[in-house]
PDB file of all heavy atoms in Angstrom:
ATOM      1  N   SER A 997      24.348  26.885 -14.208  1.00  0.00           N
ATOM      2  CA  SER A 997      24.560  28.243 -13.711  1.00  0.00           C
ATOM      3  C   SER A 997      25.800  28.228 -12.833  1.00  0.00           C
ATOM      4  O   SER A 997      25.894  27.452 -11.890  1.00  0.00           O
ATOM      5  CB  SER A 997      23.339  28.703 -12.912  1.00  0.00           C
ATOM      6  OG  SER A 997      23.064  27.798 -11.875  1.00  0.00           O
ATOM      7  N   GLU A 998      26.754  29.059 -13.173  1.00  0.00           N
ATOM      8  CA  GLU A 998      28.052  29.004 -12.509  1.00  0.00           C
ATOM      9  C   GLU A 998      28.090  29.872 -11.264  1.00  0.00           C
ATOM     10  O   GLU A 998      27.760  31.059 -11.300  1.00  0.00           O
ATOM     11  CB  GLU A 998      29.152  29.456 -13.483  1.00  0.00           C
ATOM     12  CG  GLU A 998      29.415  28.468 -14.601  1.00  0.00           C
ATOM     13  CD  GLU A 998      29.956  27.146 -14.087  1.00  0.00           C
ATOM     14  OE1 GLU A 998      30.696  27.155 -13.087  1.00  0.00           O
ATOM     15  OE2 GLU A 998      29.613  26.108 -14.656  1.00  0.00           O
ATOM     16  N   ASN A 999      28.492  29.269 -10.176  1.00  0.00           N
ATOM     17  CA  ASN A 999      28.820  30.009  -8.964  1.00  0.00           C
ATOM     18  C   ASN A 999      30.332  30.155  -8.897  1.00  0.00           C
ATOM     19  O   ASN A 999      31.058  29.394  -9.539  1.00  0.00           O
ATOM     20  CB  ASN A 999      28.303  29.257  -7.730  1.00  0.00           C
ATOM     21  CG  ASN A 999      26.795  29.219  -7.668  1.00  0.00           C
ATOM     22  OD1 ASN A 999      26.132  30.205  -7.958  1.00  0.00           O
ATOM     23  ND2 ASN A 999      26.239  28.065  -7.310  1.00  0.00           N
ATOM     24  N   PRO A1000      30.841  31.103  -8.136  1.00  0.00           N
ATOM     25  CA  PRO A1000      32.294  31.233  -7.995  1.00  0.00           C
ATOM     26  C   PRO A1000      32.887  29.947  -7.449  1.00  0.00           C
ATOM     27  O   PRO A1000      32.220  29.194  -6.719  1.00  0.00           O
ATOM     28  CB  PRO A1000      32.441  32.388  -6.984  1.00  0.00           C
ATOM     29  CG  PRO A1000      31.150  33.138  -7.071  1.00  0.00           C
ATOM     30  CD  PRO A1000      30.108  32.119  -7.376  1.00  0.00           C
ATOM     31  N   PRO A1001      34.147  29.636  -7.801  1.00  0.00           N
ATOM     32  CA  PRO A1001      34.792  28.418  -7.289  1.00  0.00           C
ATOM     33  C   PRO A1001      34.687  28.315  -5.773  1.00  0.00           C
ATOM     34  O   PRO A1001      34.788  29.295  -5.056  1.00  0.00           O
ATOM     35  CB  PRO A1001      36.242  28.578  -7.746  1.00  0.00           C
ATOM     36  CG  PRO A1001      36.142  29.389  -8.991  1.00  0.00           C
ATOM     37  CD  PRO A1001      35.032  30.375  -8.731  1.00  0.00           C
ATOM     38  N   ASN A1002      34.475  27.091  -5.313  1.00  0.00           N
ATOM     39  CA  ASN A1002      34.254  26.844  -3.901  1.00  0.00           C
ATOM     40  C   ASN A1002      34.835  25.472  -3.574  1.00  0.00           C
ATOM     41  O   ASN A1002      34.953  24.619  -4.448  1.00  0.00           O
ATOM     42  CB  ASN A1002      32.746  26.877  -3.610  1.00  0.00           C
ATOM     43  CG  ASN A1002      32.422  26.888  -2.127  1.00  0.00           C
ATOM     44  OD1 ASN A1002      33.302  26.685  -1.288  1.00  0.00           O
ATOM     45  ND2 ASN A1002      31.162  27.121  -1.790  1.00  0.00           N
ATOM     46  N   HIS A1003      35.225  25.253  -2.335  1.00  0.00           N
ATOM     47  CA  HIS A1003      35.753  23.946  -1.967  1.00  0.00           C
ATOM     48  C   HIS A1003      34.644  22.932  -1.708  1.00  0.00           C
ATOM     49  O   HIS A1003      34.904  21.759  -1.439  1.00  0.00           O
ATOM     50  CB  HIS A1003      36.654  24.055  -0.727  1.00  0.00           C
ATOM     51  CG  HIS A1003      35.921  24.385   0.536  1.00  0.00           C
ATOM     52  ND1 HIS A1003      35.399  25.637   0.780  1.00  0.00           N
ATOM     53  CD2 HIS A1003      35.611  23.630   1.622  1.00  0.00           C
ATOM     54  CE1 HIS A1003      34.807  25.644   1.963  1.00  0.00           C
ATOM     55  NE2 HIS A1003      34.925  24.436   2.494  1.00  0.00           N
ATOM     56  N   ILE A1004      33.383  23.384  -1.826  1.00  0.00           N
ATOM     57  CA  ILE A1004      32.231  22.501  -1.666  1.00  0.00           C
ATOM     58  C   ILE A1004      31.506  22.398  -3.002  1.00  0.00           C
ATOM     59  O   ILE A1004      31.214  23.407  -3.647  1.00  0.00           O
ATOM     60  CB  ILE A1004      31.277  23.019  -0.579  1.00  0.00           C
ATOM     61  CG1 ILE A1004      31.991  23.058   0.779  1.00  0.00           C
ATOM     62  CG2 ILE A1004      30.032  22.134  -0.487  1.00  0.00           C
ATOM     63  CD1 ILE A1004      31.154  23.635   1.897  1.00  0.00           C
ATOM     64  N   LEU A1005      31.197  21.155  -3.420  1.00  0.00           N
ATOM     65  CA  LEU A1005      30.474  20.906  -4.660  1.00  0.00           C
ATOM     66  C   LEU A1005      29.009  20.599  -4.347  1.00  0.00           C
ATOM     67  O   LEU A1005      28.681  20.021  -3.312  1.00  0.00           O
ATOM     68  CB  LEU A1005      31.089  19.719  -5.410  1.00  0.00           C
ATOM     69  CG  LEU A1005      32.554  19.856  -5.830  1.00  0.00           C
ATOM     70  CD1 LEU A1005      33.044  18.569  -6.470  1.00  0.00           C
ATOM     71  CD2 LEU A1005      32.732  21.037  -6.781  1.00  0.00           C
ATOM     72  N   PHE A1006      28.146  20.976  -5.286  1.00  0.00           N
ATOM     73  CA  PHE A1006      26.715  20.713  -5.166  1.00  0.00           C
ATOM     74  C   PHE A1006      26.322  19.733  -6.266  1.00  0.00           C
ATOM     75  O   PHE A1006      26.513  20.010  -7.450  1.00  0.00           O
ATOM     76  CB  PHE A1006      25.936  22.021  -5.305  1.00  0.00           C
ATOM     77  CG  PHE A1006      24.436  21.858  -5.255  1.00  0.00           C
ATOM     78  CD1 PHE A1006      23.826  21.191  -4.201  1.00  0.00           C
ATOM     79  CD2 PHE A1006      23.635  22.387  -6.264  1.00  0.00           C
ATOM     80  CE1 PHE A1006      22.446  21.048  -4.140  1.00  0.00           C
ATOM     81  CE2 PHE A1006      22.262  22.248  -6.218  1.00  0.00           C
ATOM     82  CZ  PHE A1006      21.659  21.577  -5.164  1.00  0.00           C
ATOM     83  N   LEU A1007      25.792  18.576  -5.888  1.00  0.00           N
ATOM     84  CA  LEU A1007      25.419  17.530  -6.840  1.00  0.00           C
ATOM     85  C   LEU A1007      23.908  17.497  -7.012  1.00  0.00           C
ATOM     86  O   LEU A1007      23.162  17.576  -6.035  1.00  0.00           O
ATOM     87  CB  LEU A1007      25.885  16.151  -6.349  1.00  0.00           C
ATOM     88  CG  LEU A1007      27.300  16.014  -5.785  1.00  0.00           C
ATOM     89  CD1 LEU A1007      27.579  14.552  -5.439  1.00  0.00           C
ATOM     90  CD2 LEU A1007      28.331  16.537  -6.770  1.00  0.00           C
ATOM     91  N   THR A1008      23.454  17.366  -8.255  1.00  0.00           N
ATOM     92  CA  THR A1008      22.022  17.236  -8.534  1.00  0.00           C
ATOM     93  C   THR A1008      21.797  16.090  -9.516  1.00  0.00           C
ATOM     94  O   THR A1008      22.737  15.535 -10.079  1.00  0.00           O
ATOM     95  CB  THR A1008      21.442  18.543  -9.129  1.00  0.00           C
ATOM     96  OG1 THR A1008      22.137  18.850 -10.347  1.00  0.00           O
ATOM     97  CG2 THR A1008      21.615  19.706  -8.166  1.00  0.00           C
ATOM     98  N   ASN A1009      20.509  15.763  -9.719  1.00  0.00           N
ATOM     99  CA  ASN A1009      20.085  14.682 -10.627  1.00  0.00           C
ATOM    100  C   ASN A1009      20.617  13.323 -10.183  1.00  0.00           C
ATOM    101  O   ASN A1009      20.983  12.488 -11.008  1.00  0.00           O
ATOM    102  CB  ASN A1009      20.522  14.974 -12.065  1.00  0.00           C
ATOM    103  CG  ASN A1009      19.711  14.177 -13.083  1.00  0.00           C
ATOM    104  OD1 ASN A1009      18.507  13.997 -12.915  1.00  0.00           O
ATOM    105  ND2 ASN A1009      20.366  13.681 -14.123  1.00  0.00           N
ATOM    106  N   LEU A1010      20.636  13.083  -8.890  1.00  0.00           N
ATOM    107  CA  LEU A1010      21.083  11.797  -8.361  1.00  0.00           C
ATOM    108  C   LEU A1010      19.907  10.820  -8.317  1.00  0.00           C
ATOM    109  O   LEU A1010      18.778  11.226  -8.046  1.00  0.00           O
ATOM    110  CB  LEU A1010      21.659  11.979  -6.951  1.00  0.00           C
ATOM    111  CG  LEU A1010      22.852  12.929  -6.828  1.00  0.00           C
ATOM    112  CD1 LEU A1010      23.240  13.103  -5.353  1.00  0.00           C
ATOM    113  CD2 LEU A1010      24.040  12.415  -7.621  1.00  0.00           C
ATOM    114  N   PRO A1011      20.136   9.531  -8.569  1.00  0.00           N
ATOM    115  CA  PRO A1011      19.041   8.549  -8.533  1.00  0.00           C
ATOM    116  C   PRO A1011      18.580   8.262  -7.120  1.00  0.00           C
ATOM    117  O   PRO A1011      19.266   8.584  -6.139  1.00  0.00           O
ATOM    118  CB  PRO A1011      19.673   7.302  -9.160  1.00  0.00           C
ATOM    119  CG  PRO A1011      21.130   7.444  -8.888  1.00  0.00           C
ATOM    120  CD  PRO A1011      21.419   8.915  -8.948  1.00  0.00           C
ATOM    121  N   GLU A1012      17.439   7.620  -7.009  1.00  0.00           N
ATOM    122  CA  GLU A1012      16.823   7.383  -5.704  1.00  0.00           C
ATOM    123  C   GLU A1012      17.680   6.493  -4.808  1.00  0.00           C
ATOM    124  O   GLU A1012      17.684   6.639  -3.594  1.00  0.00           O
ATOM    125  CB  GLU A1012      15.449   6.738  -5.904  1.00  0.00           C
ATOM    126  CG  GLU A1012      14.645   6.578  -4.630  1.00  0.00           C
ATOM    127  CD  GLU A1012      13.232   6.097  -4.896  1.00  0.00           C
ATOM    128  OE1 GLU A1012      12.859   5.997  -6.082  1.00  0.00           O
ATOM    129  OE2 GLU A1012      12.508   5.828  -3.920  1.00  0.00           O
ATOM    130  N   GLU A1013      18.437   5.552  -5.433  1.00  0.00           N
ATOM    131  CA  GLU A1013      19.222   4.616  -4.622  1.00  0.00           C
ATOM    132  C   GLU A1013      20.553   5.190  -4.141  1.00  0.00           C
ATOM    133  O   GLU A1013      21.348   4.498  -3.505  1.00  0.00           O
ATOM    134  CB  GLU A1013      19.486   3.329  -5.410  1.00  0.00           C
ATOM    135  CG  GLU A1013      20.214   3.532  -6.723  1.00  0.00           C
ATOM    136  CD  GLU A1013      19.239   3.689  -7.887  1.00  0.00           C
ATOM    137  OE1 GLU A1013      18.132   4.221  -7.676  1.00  0.00           O
ATOM    138  OE2 GLU A1013      19.586   3.285  -9.000  1.00  0.00           O
ATOM    139  N   THR A1014      20.821   6.470  -4.411  1.00  0.00           N
ATOM    140  CA  THR A1014      22.071   7.092  -3.990  1.00  0.00           C
ATOM    141  C   THR A1014      22.202   7.073  -2.469  1.00  0.00           C
ATOM    142  O   THR A1014      21.243   7.342  -1.746  1.00  0.00           O
ATOM    143  CB  THR A1014      22.134   8.551  -4.469  1.00  0.00           C
ATOM    144  OG1 THR A1014      22.038   8.580  -5.888  1.00  0.00           O
ATOM    145  CG2 THR A1014      23.458   9.201  -4.054  1.00  0.00           C
ATOM    146  N   ASN A1015      23.403   6.735  -1.990  1.00  0.00           N
ATOM    147  CA  ASN A1015      23.655   6.814  -0.556  1.00  0.00           C
ATOM    148  C   ASN A1015      25.042   7.416  -0.327  1.00  0.00           C
ATOM    149  O   ASN A1015      25.823   7.610  -1.258  1.00  0.00           O
ATOM    150  CB  ASN A1015      23.530   5.444   0.116  1.00  0.00           C
ATOM    151  CG  ASN A1015      24.449   4.404  -0.493  1.00  0.00           C
ATOM    152  OD1 ASN A1015      25.619   4.670  -0.745  1.00  0.00           O
ATOM    153  ND2 ASN A1015      23.934   3.202  -0.722  1.00  0.00           N
ATOM    154  N   GLU A1016      25.326   7.728   0.919  1.00  0.00           N
ATOM    155  CA  GLU A1016      26.587   8.402   1.264  1.00  0.00           C
ATOM    156  C   GLU A1016      27.794   7.553   0.887  1.00  0.00           C
ATOM    157  O   GLU A1016      28.802   8.066   0.386  1.00  0.00           O
ATOM    158  CB  GLU A1016      26.603   8.705   2.763  1.00  0.00           C
ATOM    159  CG  GLU A1016      27.838   9.472   3.229  1.00  0.00           C
ATOM    160  CD  GLU A1016      27.773   9.816   4.709  1.00  0.00           C
ATOM    161  OE1 GLU A1016      26.673   9.745   5.284  1.00  0.00           O
ATOM    162  OE2 GLU A1016      28.827  10.150   5.270  1.00  0.00           O
ATOM    163  N   LEU A1017      27.696   6.257   1.104  1.00  0.00           N
ATOM    164  CA  LEU A1017      28.813   5.363   0.806  1.00  0.00           C
ATOM    165  C   LEU A1017      29.138   5.355  -0.686  1.00  0.00           C
ATOM    166  O   LEU A1017      30.304   5.432  -1.089  1.00  0.00           O
ATOM    167  CB  LEU A1017      28.467   3.950   1.274  1.00  0.00           C
ATOM    168  CG  LEU A1017      29.506   2.864   0.998  1.00  0.00           C
ATOM    169  CD1 LEU A1017      30.788   3.161   1.750  1.00  0.00           C
ATOM    170  CD2 LEU A1017      28.959   1.505   1.406  1.00  0.00           C
ATOM    171  N   MET A1018      28.123   5.298  -1.513  1.00  0.00           N
ATOM    172  CA  MET A1018      28.308   5.261  -2.953  1.00  0.00           C
ATOM    173  C   MET A1018      29.038   6.512  -3.446  1.00  0.00           C
ATOM    174  O   MET A1018      29.998   6.437  -4.220  1.00  0.00           O
ATOM    175  CB  MET A1018      26.931   5.150  -3.627  1.00  0.00           C
ATOM    176  CG  MET A1018      26.966   4.925  -5.127  1.00  0.00           C
ATOM    177  SD  MET A1018      25.300   5.001  -5.832  1.00  0.00           S
ATOM    178  CE  MET A1018      24.469   3.712  -4.908  1.00  0.00           C
ATOM    179  N   LEU A1019      28.598   7.689  -2.990  1.00  0.00           N
ATOM    180  CA  LEU A1019      29.230   8.934  -3.405  1.00  0.00           C
ATOM    181  C   LEU A1019      30.649   9.053  -2.844  1.00  0.00           C
ATOM    182  O   LEU A1019      31.558   9.555  -3.512  1.00  0.00           O
ATOM    183  CB  LEU A1019      28.386  10.127  -2.962  1.00  0.00           C
ATOM    184  CG  LEU A1019      27.021  10.260  -3.655  1.00  0.00           C
ATOM    185  CD1 LEU A1019      26.249  11.431  -3.066  1.00  0.00           C
ATOM    186  CD2 LEU A1019      27.182  10.437  -5.157  1.00  0.00           C
ATOM    187  N   SER A1020      30.845   8.583  -1.624  1.00  0.00           N
ATOM    188  CA  SER A1020      32.182   8.629  -1.027  1.00  0.00           C
ATOM    189  C   SER A1020      33.175   7.813  -1.850  1.00  0.00           C
ATOM    190  O   SER A1020      34.319   8.234  -2.065  1.00  0.00           O
ATOM    191  CB  SER A1020      32.145   8.110   0.410  1.00  0.00           C
ATOM    192  OG  SER A1020      31.381   8.950   1.236  1.00  0.00           O
ATOM    193  N   MET A1021      32.752   6.644  -2.329  1.00  0.00           N
ATOM    194  CA  MET A1021      33.634   5.809  -3.133  1.00  0.00           C
ATOM    195  C   MET A1021      34.004   6.479  -4.449  1.00  0.00           C
ATOM    196  O   MET A1021      35.107   6.328  -4.958  1.00  0.00           O
ATOM    197  CB  MET A1021      32.976   4.460  -3.405  1.00  0.00           C
ATOM    198  CG  MET A1021      32.869   3.552  -2.193  1.00  0.00           C
ATOM    199  SD  MET A1021      34.466   3.056  -1.501  1.00  0.00           S
ATOM    200  CE  MET A1021      34.549   4.118  -0.073  1.00  0.00           C
ATOM    201  N   LEU A1022      33.063   7.256  -5.015  1.00  0.00           N
ATOM    202  CA  LEU A1022      33.343   7.952  -6.273  1.00  0.00           C
ATOM    203  C   LEU A1022      34.324   9.107  -6.077  1.00  0.00           C
ATOM    204  O   LEU A1022      35.254   9.288  -6.862  1.00  0.00           O
ATOM    205  CB  LEU A1022      32.037   8.500  -6.867  1.00  0.00           C
ATOM    206  CG  LEU A1022      31.131   7.514  -7.589  1.00  0.00           C
ATOM    207  CD1 LEU A1022      29.856   8.209  -8.029  1.00  0.00           C
ATOM    208  CD2 LEU A1022      31.844   6.912  -8.793  1.00  0.00           C
ATOM    209  N   PHE A1023      34.123   9.892  -5.027  1.00  0.00           N
ATOM    210  CA  PHE A1023      34.924  11.106  -4.851  1.00  0.00           C
ATOM    211  C   PHE A1023      36.199  10.870  -4.038  1.00  0.00           C
ATOM    212  O   PHE A1023      37.105  11.708  -4.065  1.00  0.00           O
ATOM    213  CB  PHE A1023      34.065  12.199  -4.192  1.00  0.00           C
ATOM    214  CG  PHE A1023      33.089  12.835  -5.135  1.00  0.00           C
ATOM    215  CD1 PHE A1023      31.805  12.334  -5.260  1.00  0.00           C
ATOM    216  CD2 PHE A1023      33.458  13.929  -5.913  1.00  0.00           C
ATOM    217  CE1 PHE A1023      30.895  12.911  -6.143  1.00  0.00           C
ATOM    218  CE2 PHE A1023      32.558  14.519  -6.787  1.00  0.00           C
ATOM    219  CZ  PHE A1023      31.274  14.007  -6.912  1.00  0.00           C
ATOM    220  N   ASN A1024      36.290   9.767  -3.340  1.00  0.00           N
ATOM    221  CA  ASN A1024      37.459   9.497  -2.510  1.00  0.00           C
ATOM    222  C   ASN A1024      38.732   9.303  -3.328  1.00  0.00           C
ATOM    223  O   ASN A1024      39.852   9.396  -2.808  1.00  0.00           O
ATOM    224  CB  ASN A1024      37.206   8.253  -1.647  1.00  0.00           C
ATOM    225  CG  ASN A1024      38.296   8.038  -0.626  1.00  0.00           C
ATOM    226  OD1 ASN A1024      38.699   8.946   0.079  1.00  0.00           O
ATOM    227  ND2 ASN A1024      38.793   6.814  -0.553  1.00  0.00           N
ATOM    228  N   GLN A1025      38.599   9.034  -4.647  1.00  0.00           N
ATOM    229  CA  GLN A1025      39.775   8.841  -5.493  1.00  0.00           C
ATOM    230  C   GLN A1025      40.495  10.153  -5.794  1.00  0.00           C
ATOM    231  O   GLN A1025      41.596  10.144  -6.344  1.00  0.00           O
ATOM    232  CB  GLN A1025      39.370   8.170  -6.810  1.00  0.00           C
ATOM    233  CG  GLN A1025      38.394   8.993  -7.634  1.00  0.00           C
ATOM    234  CD  GLN A1025      37.952   8.268  -8.888  1.00  0.00           C
ATOM    235  OE1 GLN A1025      38.774   7.874  -9.694  1.00  0.00           O
ATOM    236  NE2 GLN A1025      36.650   8.084  -9.050  1.00  0.00           N
ATOM    237  N   PHE A1026      39.899  11.286  -5.433  1.00  0.00           N
ATOM    238  CA  PHE A1026      40.502  12.581  -5.725  1.00  0.00           C
ATOM    239  C   PHE A1026      41.142  13.183  -4.473  1.00  0.00           C
ATOM    240  O   PHE A1026      40.564  13.147  -3.390  1.00  0.00           O
ATOM    241  CB  PHE A1026      39.444  13.542  -6.294  1.00  0.00           C
ATOM    242  CG  PHE A1026      38.809  13.025  -7.554  1.00  0.00           C
ATOM    243  CD1 PHE A1026      37.570  12.399  -7.529  1.00  0.00           C
ATOM    244  CD2 PHE A1026      39.466  13.130  -8.771  1.00  0.00           C
ATOM    245  CE1 PHE A1026      36.992  11.902  -8.676  1.00  0.00           C
ATOM    246  CE2 PHE A1026      38.902  12.637  -9.926  1.00  0.00           C
ATOM    247  CZ  PHE A1026      37.671  12.026  -9.887  1.00  0.00           C
ATOM    248  N   PRO A1027      42.340  13.745  -4.631  1.00  0.00           N
ATOM    249  CA  PRO A1027      43.051  14.333  -3.478  1.00  0.00           C
ATOM    250  C   PRO A1027      42.233  15.430  -2.815  1.00  0.00           C
ATOM    251  O   PRO A1027      41.522  16.192  -3.485  1.00  0.00           O
ATOM    252  CB  PRO A1027      44.325  14.912  -4.117  1.00  0.00           C
ATOM    253  CG  PRO A1027      44.515  14.142  -5.379  1.00  0.00           C
ATOM    254  CD  PRO A1027      43.145  13.829  -5.878  1.00  0.00           C
ATOM    255  N   GLY A1028      42.314  15.492  -1.499  1.00  0.00           N
ATOM    256  CA  GLY A1028      41.645  16.552  -0.748  1.00  0.00           C
ATOM    257  C   GLY A1028      40.217  16.252  -0.343  1.00  0.00           C
ATOM    258  O   GLY A1028      39.579  17.082   0.320  1.00  0.00           O
ATOM    259  N   PHE A1029      39.705  15.077  -0.719  1.00  0.00           N
ATOM    260  CA  PHE A1029      38.323  14.747  -0.358  1.00  0.00           C
ATOM    261  C   PHE A1029      38.148  14.708   1.165  1.00  0.00           C
ATOM    262  O   PHE A1029      38.963  14.137   1.878  1.00  0.00           O
ATOM    263  CB  PHE A1029      37.943  13.388  -0.953  1.00  0.00           C
ATOM    264  CG  PHE A1029      36.634  12.855  -0.450  1.00  0.00           C
ATOM    265  CD1 PHE A1029      35.428  13.334  -0.934  1.00  0.00           C
ATOM    266  CD2 PHE A1029      36.606  11.865   0.532  1.00  0.00           C
ATOM    267  CE1 PHE A1029      34.216  12.831  -0.454  1.00  0.00           C
ATOM    268  CE2 PHE A1029      35.405  11.360   1.012  1.00  0.00           C
ATOM    269  CZ  PHE A1029      34.206  11.852   0.524  1.00  0.00           C
ATOM    270  N   LYS A1030      37.058  15.319   1.649  1.00  0.00           N
ATOM    271  CA  LYS A1030      36.803  15.350   3.083  1.00  0.00           C
ATOM    272  C   LYS A1030      35.544  14.560   3.445  1.00  0.00           C
ATOM    273  O   LYS A1030      35.603  13.628   4.233  1.00  0.00           O
ATOM    274  CB  LYS A1030      36.675  16.792   3.575  1.00  0.00           C
ATOM    275  CG  LYS A1030      37.986  17.570   3.510  1.00  0.00           C
ATOM    276  CD  LYS A1030      37.843  18.972   4.096  1.00  0.00           C
ATOM    277  CE  LYS A1030      37.639  18.951   5.599  1.00  0.00           C
ATOM    278  NZ  LYS A1030      37.624  20.316   6.172  1.00  0.00           N
ATOM    279  N   GLU A1031      34.394  14.937   2.866  1.00  0.00           N
ATOM    280  CA  GLU A1031      33.168  14.238   3.253  1.00  0.00           C
ATOM    281  C   GLU A1031      32.043  14.489   2.262  1.00  0.00           C
ATOM    282  O   GLU A1031      32.095  15.413   1.449  1.00  0.00           O
ATOM    283  CB  GLU A1031      32.714  14.679   4.644  1.00  0.00           C
ATOM    284  CG  GLU A1031      32.292  16.139   4.722  1.00  0.00           C
ATOM    285  CD  GLU A1031      31.689  16.501   6.070  1.00  0.00           C
ATOM    286  OE1 GLU A1031      31.365  15.573   6.838  1.00  0.00           O
ATOM    287  OE2 GLU A1031      31.511  17.707   6.341  1.00  0.00           O
ATOM    288  N   VAL A1032      31.023  13.623   2.346  1.00  0.00           N
ATOM    289  CA  VAL A1032      29.782  13.765   1.591  1.00  0.00           C
ATOM    290  C   VAL A1032      28.671  14.103   2.568  1.00  0.00           C
ATOM    291  O   VAL A1032      28.585  13.511   3.650  1.00  0.00           O
ATOM    292  CB  VAL A1032      29.436  12.466   0.837  1.00  0.00           C
ATOM    293  CG1 VAL A1032      28.017  12.519   0.278  1.00  0.00           C
ATOM    294  CG2 VAL A1032      30.426  12.213  -0.282  1.00  0.00           C
ATOM    295  N   ARG A1033      27.823  15.049   2.188  1.00  0.00           N
ATOM    296  CA  ARG A1033      26.691  15.412   3.048  1.00  0.00           C
ATOM    297  C   ARG A1033      25.393  15.270   2.242  1.00  0.00           C
ATOM    298  O   ARG A1033      25.220  15.961   1.221  1.00  0.00           O
ATOM    299  CB  ARG A1033      26.839  16.842   3.584  1.00  0.00           C
ATOM    300  CG  ARG A1033      28.012  17.013   4.521  1.00  0.00           C
ATOM    301  CD  ARG A1033      27.888  18.285   5.336  1.00  0.00           C
ATOM    302  NE  ARG A1033      27.994  19.485   4.515  1.00  0.00           N
ATOM    303  CZ  ARG A1033      29.143  20.092   4.227  1.00  0.00           C
ATOM    304  NH1 ARG A1033      30.290  19.594   4.670  1.00  0.00           N
ATOM    305  NH2 ARG A1033      29.159  21.179   3.488  1.00  0.00           N
ATOM    306  N   LEU A1034      24.517  14.399   2.697  1.00  0.00           N
ATOM    307  CA  LEU A1034      23.212  14.241   2.062  1.00  0.00           C
ATOM    308  C   LEU A1034      22.207  15.203   2.688  1.00  0.00           C
ATOM    309  O   LEU A1034      22.400  15.678   3.815  1.00  0.00           O
ATOM    310  CB  LEU A1034      22.721  12.799   2.211  1.00  0.00           C
ATOM    311  CG  LEU A1034      23.638  11.708   1.623  1.00  0.00           C
ATOM    312  CD1 LEU A1034      23.005  10.340   1.834  1.00  0.00           C
ATOM    313  CD2 LEU A1034      23.904  11.952   0.154  1.00  0.00           C
TER     314      LEU A1034
END
């Protein structure tokens, strides 16, 4: 379901072992990355 473009992304279907560090390493490769919020 599409929401209007936003500078904040919403992630779903993450596994139980997901942590802030893991997601930060994935998204940090893209320009403009600021932070991950669990």
Side-chain angles (χ1 to χ4, degrees):
S997 56
E998 290 296 326
N999 293 319
N1002 191 350
H1003 69 288
I1004 298 177
L1005 300 176
F1006 178 53
L1007 315 183
T1008 59
N1009 200 38
L1010 301 175
E1012 186 173 354
E1013 58 267 32
T1014 301
N1015 57 45
E1016 183 177 344
L1017 178 63
M1018 187 187 302
L1019 293 177
S1020 295
M1021 289 297 103
L1022 282 176
F1023 284 91
N1024 188 48
Q1025 62 183 304
F1026 301 99
F1029 170 78
K1030 292 184 69 175
E1031 65 173 346
V1032 169
R1033 294 197 293 271
L1034 302 181

